Amino acid sequence: MPAPYPLIDMPPGDFSNIFDFQAINMAAAHNQFIQGINAMVYHAPRIPEEKVQPFVKFSLIFLEHLHHHHTLEETLLFPEFEKKLGQGSLSVNIEQHHDFVPQIDELERHLKDIQSEKVKYDGKALVERIDGFGDIMIEHLNEEIATLESSRMRSAFTEKELKDIDAAFMKEVMASLDLYTALPFSVVCGNPATPWFPPLPAPLKWATKWWFYRRHKECWEFGQLDLSGKPRPEYGI
């Protein structure tokens, strides 16, 4: 079984500074995905039969969240950045998606076949599938941060322009998310070192813990954190 994939170090700067924010926010988001893939790798060979279906649902929620992130990057965020950074200036990020997304799509189809009981669950085989693309994916998640480096943003955008892009992006994020999956996932696959991410207002944090978790409550035990954001001891965090 592969060792846990290392989390990304937070870029320097101030999260409240819109120029620094781009790389810091992206690194924090990417760490959620690394937490998600680490959770799958940790649990896959340990799952008892009665918890296979909840674990598969958790895994599919993670992959759905990852797809949502990539889709909004490719269709909204990066095209807006390229208007000032230059056409194709972020194309490497999208090209890297093509290096591992097909394998994620295949993993998703496999999980859905397990969910529908077309195929039998095999935890070792599941880890082998993840191991087939994990290193490439982690490399991409790390390298993408440098393309959003603070000085690069500052050289091309005004503060207002970046704030307007961020506001439009977040509006689309919130309009297209399933709050019953995305919010609990963001908590249980959070990073204890960045408890401020995602920057949810207090009422939404409360609602996540006491309401939004309920629809898929059987899934959230597989994250590294509990719904209060506290690390689960079995992960050694």
Side-chain angles (χ1 to χ4, degrees):
M1 186 173 71
Y5 295 104
L7 297 181
I8 300 167
D9 292 333
M10 284 297 101
D14 180 355
F15 186 74
S16 64
N17 180 297
I18 194 64
F19 300 105
D20 298 342
F21 169 85
Q22 307 305 320
I24 294 172
N25 185 68
M26 189 66 75
H30 285 185
N31 277 339
Q32 283 192 343
F33 303 137
I34 297 173
Q35 293 281 71
I37 202 168
N38 281 339
M40 286 185 67
V41 169
Y42 176 86
H43 283 290
R46 297 175 168 89
I47 290 294
E49 185 175 353
E50 67 272 14
K51 291 192 175 182
V52 164
Q53 288 299 330
F55 173 66
V56 167
K57 185 185 289 187
F58 167 84
S59 301
L60 286 169
I61 287 171
F62 157 55
L63 296 180
E64 178 185 10
H65 196 43
L66 181 60
H67 280 309
H68 179 262
H69 176 80
H70 285 154
T71 297
L72 290 186
E73 281 184 338
E74 294 182 6
T75 61
L76 180 59
L77 189 63
F78 293 163
E80 284 298 316
F81 285 159
E82 286 194 345
K83 288 178 181 179
K84 298 295 290 286
L85 291 171
Q87 188 68 31
S89 57
L90 295 176
S91 60
V92 64
N93 296 338
I94 297 174
E95 290 166 3
Q96 286 180 340
H97 290 171
H98 301 157
D99 292 337
F100 61 89
V101 168
Q103 294 178 74
I104 291 177
D105 291 339
E106 176 57 34
L107 175 61
E108 187 174 33
R109 287 190 290 271
H110 178 68
L111 287 167
K112 287 180 178 179
D113 284 344
I114 296 171
Q115 193 174 50
S116 64
E117 300 184 345
K118 290 182 181 178
V119 300
K120 185 175 177 59
Y121 178 81
D122 182 334
K124 182 180 178 181
L126 191 62
V127 172
E128 288 174 353
R129 285 175 180 267
I130 295 170
D131 198 29
F133 67 83
D135 288 339
I136 299 171
M137 174 180 158
I138 299 303
E139 183 178 9
H140 160 74
L141 294 178
N142 277 271
E143 290 183 356
E144 191 169 84
I145 306 307
T147 69
L148 305 176
E149 195 268 329
S150 181
S151 64
R152 190 182 194 194
M153 294 291 130
R154 192 181 296 274
S155 69
F157 295 94
T158 66
E159 183 175 338
K160 182 180 185 306
E161 285 170 339
L162 278 183
K163 286 184 176 179
D164 287 347
I165 291 171
D166 183 59
F169 181 73
M170 288 308 301
K171 182 178 180 180
E172 182 59 30
V173 166
M174 296 308 295
S176 55
L177 278 180
D178 179 349
L179 299 183
Y180 291 92
T181 59
L183 293 183
F185 171 83
S186 73
V187 174
V188 302
C189 285
N191 177 6
T194 56
W196 41 264
F197 186 87
L200 301 174
L204 200 51
K205 289 182 179 180
W206 183 92
T208 298
K209 182 178 179 181
W210 299 108
W211 179 257
F212 287 116
Y213 87 96
R214 293 184 179 187
R215 184 171 295 179
H216 306 288
K217 62 183 179 180
E218 71 277 13
C219 297
W220 309 127
E221 68 176 278
F222 304 111
Q224 288 94 330
L225 312 183
D226 64 21
L227 284 158
S228 296
K230 296 179 180 178
R232 300 184 192 274
E234 61 264 33
Y235 287 97
I237 297 175

